[in-house]
Amino acid sequence: MMLKFWILVVSLLAANFCRKVQSDSQHGSSESSDSSDSSDSSEETIQATVTLKIQNSLDPDWPSAEYNVSVPLATSVFDMMLVADEEFDNFTFEYTYYPSVPGNFIDSINGLAGNFADQTFWRFENKYGVAFDRGVDLILVHANDDVIVFTFASWA
């Protein structure tokens, strides 16, 4: 039993370290990169163009949107959204970071916010309509044909 516990702890620490390394490489650590390390720089230049779709299942008159976002392979959906927020004037989102999870929860997209009283939220799923089982920080983009769909929905 104790062995399983330590395996879990080591796995979580490794995942957290990989996430930090990925985050550091995506958020301006260019001053610490060594140009003589060609294997790292070649990995960072491999890009994927991901389709980000925004739709509202509760109001068909609400304007849906679609954005093609270019990010490095294995970028989290959250980091892809940060790039889209910088690239597109008509894309905005707000989020809350929960340290107990740890991760980000998407509160609003393009001015439309989920509401506890109305039982509404932003669900995100793949191009086949299958909801992800993890948060936006843990889902990574892998290929040019990746499609991430955020749908405003009700949990009622």
Side-chain angles (χ1 to χ4, degrees), residues 31-155:
E31 66 273 3
S32 65
S33 65
D34 184 356
S35 61
S36 65
D37 189 359
S38 62
S39 64
D40 287 344
S41 63
S42 66
E43 285 181 27
E44 291 179 31
T45 59
I46 299 173
Q47 298 285 307
T49 300
V50 180
T51 302
L52 174 60
K53 292 184 177 184
I54 311 300
Q55 55 195 26
N56 185 340
S57 68
L58 304 176
D59 181 2
D61 294 329
W62 193 79
S64 295
E66 188 171 306
Y67 309 92
N68 291 318
V69 185
S70 181
V71 292
L73 287 175
T75 295
S76 71
V77 169
F78 179 75
D79 287 337
M80 179 197 61
M81 293 176 76
L82 291 173
V83 170
D85 192 28
E86 290 177 14
E87 284 186 16
F88 301 101
D89 292 335
N90 62 341
F91 177 79
T92 61
F93 77 105
E94 295 179 1
Y95 59 93
T96 302
Y97 178 75
Y98 290 95
S100 62
V101 175
N104 293 289
F105 180 80
I106 304 304
D107 297 314
S108 72
I109 298 177
N110 292 346
L112 183 59
N115 183 304
F116 188 77
D118 294 337
Q119 299 179 331
T120 56
F121 73 112
W122 281 100
R123 175 181 68 222
F124 83 112
E125 54 204 22
N126 66 18
K127 63 184 167 186
Y128 304 109
V130 178
F132 290 107
D133 62 350
R134 289 164 278 154
V136 291
D137 300 286
L138 299 175
I139 301 298
L140 307 178
V141 300
H142 293 287
N144 279 329
D145 64 346
D146 271 355
V147 177
I148 305 296
V149 181
F150 279 87
T151 303
F152 192 71
S154 173
W155 72 76

